[in-house]
Amino acid sequence: MRKGELSIIKDREQLSCWIHHSMAVTGGYLGVYALLCRNDFFGNALTSNLIYIVTGILGQDLFDVLIRIGGVVLYVLGISSTIFLSKKYHRNLHPISLVINYIAVIILGLLPAEMDPILGLYPIFFAMAFQWNSFPGAYGFAGSTIFSTNNARQVANALSEYCITHEKRQLQRAAFFGGTLACFHIGVAFSWITHHFIGIRSVWLCVVPLLVSTALIAYESHLDKATVGQKDATGAPVKQI
């Protein structure tokens, strides 16, 4: 393989990391929007929603249960859509996820503040589930761009492993997940500041980190075209991610 080809492939791997981290900013931004504007309900994950479905059934609040089931259905559809598109049509999901996020942000900014908080999070349920599967990680590490718990666990695991084994791979792992955590909370801080000054319509400013991701994904497409027909050190075709 020529030196230039190696450089392109290396850039592609690094770019995947940058894209993952940039999307984590969006995950943090929309996570805080949900907490501040929709009664402290975190729409990026399903755990609390599923819990409230059970308590709603026991408390015989069937209307609330139905609304929350609708949220679960949208979340599952978001995940299932990524599998369908990637397997059946072999599509790169990065641009599609971006479009879905842009649409979700526009809709969220138009919804009234006084509406049912779970209905108000319907766009987030679908968009964040789709983003979760569309940006699964980088450098061979699987991580989430829409919530923090597993990323924090991975940092702790990697640093503990490094203290025992001194493997440099563990430091790379800690840096990747630590970077994801940092970027997620940059999104958290940005969202809180904009909400403090603008209120519920501040969700529209989520287009700022989305535009950064758009530029990175456009460059990703350029690199993918540059690697068409190239082979790695083993002679195998370079995979388009």
Side-chain angles (χ1 to χ4, degrees):
M1 183 183 295
R2 294 187 297 273
K3 183 178 179 180
E5 294 173 353
L6 282 171
S7 177
I8 290 173
I9 295 168
K10 183 179 180 180
D11 288 347
R12 183 64 179 79
E13 292 174 346
Q14 187 177 54
L15 182 60
S16 293
C17 179
W18 291 350
I19 290 172
H20 189 86
H21 286 165
S22 72
M23 292 305 297
V25 178
T26 295
Y29 194 103
L30 291 179
V32 170
Y33 162 84
L35 293 172
L36 295 179
C37 300
R38 301 300 175 190
N39 289 9
D40 287 327
F41 189 81
F42 187 60
N44 292 17
L46 275 187
T47 303
S48 59
N49 206 13
L50 292 171
I51 289 173
Y52 280 121
I53 286 175
V54 174
T55 58
I57 292 172
L58 295 175
Q60 298 183 342
D61 189 351
L62 297 184
F63 179 72
D64 182 69
V65 169
L66 289 175
I67 291 176
R68 291 181 183 277
I69 288 176
V72 172
V73 170
L74 282 172
Y75 204 93
V76 172
L77 284 175
I79 293 173
S80 299
S81 297
T82 63
I83 303 301
F84 179 80
L85 290 172
S86 62
K87 299 296 184 182
K88 188 172 180 62
Y89 296 105
H90 305 285
R91 298 295 303 272
N92 180 349
L93 299 179
H94 290 180
I96 300 173
S97 183
L98 277 179
V99 171
I100 291 172
N101 278 355
Y102 278 119
I103 294 172
V105 165
I106 292 171
I107 294 173
L108 289 168
L110 296 173
L111 297 177
E114 62 276 7
M115 70 182 298
D116 182 278
I118 305 304
L119 285 175
L121 290 178
Y122 270 21
I124 283 182
F125 288 134
F126 185 85
M128 289 295 94
F130 198 99
Q131 179 177 317
W132 188 9
N133 262 16
S134 299
F135 301 88
Y139 296 128
F141 303 123
S144 170
T145 61
I146 64 172
F147 44 74
S148 295
T149 306
N150 186 61
N151 293 321
R153 181 181 71 90
Q154 291 286 355
V155 172
N157 284 354
L159 292 177
S160 299
E161 289 275 358
Y162 179 75
C163 289
I164 297 171
T165 65
H166 302 292
E167 295 178 6
K168 290 185 178 180
R169 174 72 168 167
Q170 296 304 325
L171 286 181
Q172 184 186 35
R173 177 184 171 197
F176 170 71
F177 287 105
T180 305
L181 274 175
C183 289
F184 183 90
H185 289 93
I186 287 171
V188 167
F190 183 37
S191 185
W192 186 91
I193 292 169
T194 56
H195 181 270
H196 178 74
F197 289 102
I198 303 174
I200 194 169
R201 307 306 173 202
S202 64
V203 69
W204 283 332
L205 288 179
C206 189
V207 299
V208 175
L210 282 174
L211 286 172
V212 174
S213 296
T214 300
L216 291 172
I217 289 169
Y219 184 57
E220 172 191 51
S221 177
H222 168 73
L223 286 185
D224 282 346
K225 291 177 181 177
T227 58
V228 171
Q230 293 185 7
K231 298 181 179 181
D232 61 21
T234 67
V238 174
K239 294 182 179 180
Q240 307 302 310
I241 302 175

